[in-house]
Amino acid sequence: FFLFIGFVLLILLGLFKSFCEICVRTGKLKEAKFTTFRHHWRSVTKGSLYRYFNICFPQITLLCIWEFSVHNSAGCVVLAVGCLLVTFVLLFFASFKLIVLGKLSSQKYKNPAYLLFSDEKILNRYGFLYVQYKADKYYWVLVNLVYLFIRALFIAVLQEQGKVCACLIFATEIIYCGVLIWKRPFMDKRTNIFNIFITVVNVINSIFFLFYSNVFGQPAVVSSVAGVVYFI
């Protein structure tokens, strides 16, 4: 489904580009319409794929690494390796490139936002990774990817070690929540509050997972009550 939806996304973007060009040439669409999309079609397409890979990153990382532990078949393992490598290479390459551009902009123009926000090609292709962050916190995209990867890694490889997995996930969520509250990397106060709230909910979820994994050796009824509270 991951590969299929990516393929469909490319086809739809290509068809829309063709439709726009045909309408402009036949006079049914003004030349000024969809100018950015038509003139920077390749960058927009690459940016859309980056967005898609970014959205799917936690699930792809978890399921592909998990496949290494269950080994359903040689074909599944090969597919998992392929998906994982493509996702990793694309997202981490984009993240490192953004960090390099941010540092270059800071050295040359004394402001990391200059190159990241003034170059339309970079903005179309990579903008979704950093536009929600403050100009001087552009590096947070890499922090977020590392956090998502570590969490997915623990869940994927520790399926048979529930207590260890629950404790590590709890520690990961606590550390990330603390760093997020300390740095507050998002663009404005409202967005920071919203994302801190999400992270706090993740911490609360990880506390519930400690109960479900029987880390505390509590009676079964306690886990049942925790399940009802978790659902609410």
Side-chain angles (χ1 to χ4, degrees):
F1 276 103
F2 171 70
L3 296 174
F4 174 72
I5 293 172
F7 176 73
V8 170
L9 177 64
L10 284 175
I11 295 298
L12 290 176
L13 287 169
L15 289 174
F16 185 65
K17 170 69 162 56
S18 303
F19 174 77
C20 289
E21 293 299 338
I22 292 171
C23 288
V24 168
R25 293 186 181 185
T26 56
K28 294 181 179 180
L29 194 67
K30 294 181 180 179
E31 182 71 29
K33 292 289 185 181
F34 303 110
T35 306
T36 301
F37 175 75
R38 287 169 43 234
H39 291 174
H40 301 280
W41 178 71
R42 290 187 178 182
S43 295
V44 172
T45 301
K46 290 177 181 178
S48 299
L49 285 175
Y50 271 119
R51 285 174 171 83
Y52 177 59
F53 278 98
N54 188 50
I55 291 169
C56 297
F57 179 75
Q59 296 90 340
I60 287 297
T61 304
L62 194 157
L63 292 173
C64 288
I65 297 176
W66 176 71
E67 178 59 36
F68 300 154
S69 66
V70 295
H71 200 281
N72 289 308
S73 69
C76 286
V77 172
V78 170
L79 187 62
V81 171
C83 289
L84 191 62
L85 279 177
V86 170
T87 306
F88 258 68
V89 169
L90 283 176
L91 290 179
F92 281 92
F93 170 76
S95 300
F96 282 116
K97 188 166 184 178
L98 288 178
I99 290 174
V100 170
L101 287 170
K103 288 184 176 180
L104 179 64
S105 182
S106 297
Q107 293 171 359
K108 201 170 183 180
Y109 303 103
K110 309 300 180 185
N111 186 352
Y114 186 86
L115 287 177
L116 295 177
F117 288 90
S118 64
D119 191 321
E120 194 169 3
K121 189 175 181 181
I122 294 173
L123 196 59
N124 284 332
R125 188 179 299 181
Y126 305 118
F128 75 99
L129 287 170
Y130 61 86
V131 291
Q132 67 268 35
Y133 302 125
K134 295 174 183 175
D136 61 336
K137 299 292 191 304
Y138 60 90
Y139 60 83
W140 196 261
V141 58
L142 187 58
V143 175
N144 186 57
L145 286 176
V146 170
Y147 156 71
L148 292 174
F149 170 72
I150 291 174
R151 191 172 63 173
L153 179 66
F154 288 154
I155 296 171
V157 302
L158 294 173
Q159 284 294 302
E160 303 299 325
Q161 302 292 330
K163 293 181 180 180
V164 177
C165 181
C167 291
L168 289 173
I169 291 295
F170 174 69
T172 303
E173 296 293 358
I174 281 286
I175 293 170
Y176 183 75
C177 182
V179 175
L180 186 69
I181 293 171
W182 172 38
K183 289 293 186 179
R184 293 190 295 276
F186 291 92
M187 188 65 75
D188 54 33
K189 185 177 180 181
R190 180 179 296 178
T191 311
N192 274 307
I193 292 172
F194 185 73
N195 281 277
I196 289 171
F197 179 76
I198 291 173
T199 310
V200 169
V201 170
N202 285 338
V203 172
I204 295 171
N205 290 347
S206 67
I207 295 172
F208 281 114
F209 297 154
L210 292 174
F211 282 99
Y212 302 150
S213 301
N214 202 31
V215 172
F216 306 113
Q218 74 280 355
V221 67
V222 176
S223 299
S224 299
V225 172
V228 173
V229 175
Y230 177 72
F231 171 76
I232 294 172

